[in-house]
Amino acid sequence: MNDHEQQQPAPHRGKVLEALARAERQVFTRPTPKSAKAQVKFLLTRAKGSTQALAERLGVSRRTVERYRAGTLTTPQKRLQAALVEETESEWQPQVRAQVRAATATSRGMMVDVTAYFGFTCTGSSDDGRERQITTDISPTYVKQILELQEASATEEDLHPIVAEAITESYFTEWGTRAAGLRADFTQVVKIDFRF
């Protein structure tokens, strides 16, 4: 087995983190590099030309990075392809992404479309937890907290309470006008999408 084939397993992001990444991809004004060679060349510019630093970031050998840069290898295995796409998208158009994130965290807020099992706690009686499909706005205050947690490398479990609290405020309590004291928690996220 050569160093190209000795790769670490693919990293797995949770549904909320993946939804945030998809929302950011929607704001790009130019398409990201598609070929492995173009992605490696782009990432090398971000790594200041260090093939060793990029190899560590991708979880491959330095020689593998050099082969993709030279074009002698062109078709990466699934794990490396996923890492190249994820790393390229995380570095692509940082100013555009920063402008959109700042606007959503200060004035615009964002939309969430979620299908999840919600469990409820409330003073008095309450419904049993059940699956709901909800589309609602999230206020800039919660968007700021969500984005700060994402930047701080929060886990999926760290994000669930704040997203559930944001949905509770906007959807279940209608910004504090009804159902005082209600708290909804995710027990399982089936599908989630954000729109900046």
Side-chain angles (χ1 to χ4, degrees):
M1 195 180 258
N2 63 34
D3 60 2
H4 174 65
E5 294 168 342
Q6 295 175 354
Q7 297 176 5
Q8 300 166 358
H12 176 70
R13 286 194 292 198
K15 291 179 181 175
V16 174
L17 290 169
E18 184 57 39
L20 287 168
R22 280 193 313 270
E24 284 187 337
R25 287 192 295 265
Q26 298 300 316
V27 302
F28 291 156
T29 58
R30 294 188 337 250
T32 58
K34 299 296 181 217
S35 72
K37 182 177 180 179
Q39 290 167 336
V40 166
K41 282 187 175 186
F42 168 73
L43 291 171
L44 279 170
T45 62
R46 300 309 238 172
K48 297 180 175 42
S50 171
T51 55
Q52 185 62 40
L54 181 56
E56 289 172 8
R57 198 168 157 186
L58 296 172
V60 296
S61 72
R62 182 177 177 196
R63 185 71 187 123
T64 298
V65 170
E66 292 168 352
R67 288 177 181 152
Y68 279 103
R69 178 179 61 186
T72 56
L73 290 177
T74 57
T75 308
Q77 294 179 352
K78 286 182 183 181
R79 203 240 25 109
L80 179 56
Q81 179 62 40
L84 283 169
V85 168
E86 183 176 335
E87 293 297 326
T88 300
E89 288 175 349
S90 73
E91 295 284 338
W92 192 248
Q93 293 191 318
Q95 291 176 340
V96 171
R97 197 169 39 248
Q99 289 170 352
V100 170
R101 289 170 72 95
T104 57
T106 57
S107 60
R108 286 195 341 218
M110 68 180 172
M111 281 290 261
V112 63
D113 181 14
V114 63
T115 303
Y117 287 89
F118 286 89
F120 299 94
T121 56
C122 184
T123 54
S125 64
S126 166
D127 293 345
D128 289 334
R130 63 179 182 268
E131 183 178 348
R132 291 178 181 252
Q133 197 280 325
I134 296 170
T135 301
T136 189
D137 289 311
I138 295 178
S139 75
T141 305
Y142 286 109
V143 173
K144 182 178 180 184
Q145 292 175 25
I146 291 166
L147 295 178
E148 286 172 351
L149 283 170
Q150 180 194 24
E151 288 176 6
S153 302
T155 65
E156 189 79 359
E157 292 73 29
D158 296 332
L159 288 165
H160 279 197
I162 192 70
V163 174
E165 187 177 328
I167 292 169
T168 299
E169 181 184 312
S170 66
Y171 182 81
F172 293 110
T173 67
E174 293 180 1
W175 311 105
T177 61
R178 68 181 185 101
L182 177 74
R183 193 180 105 221
D185 296 311
F186 288 142
T187 55
Q188 179 186 357
V189 176
V190 177
K191 172 184 90 56
I192 188 165
D193 286 303
F194 293 102
R195 287 187 298 280
F196 289 117

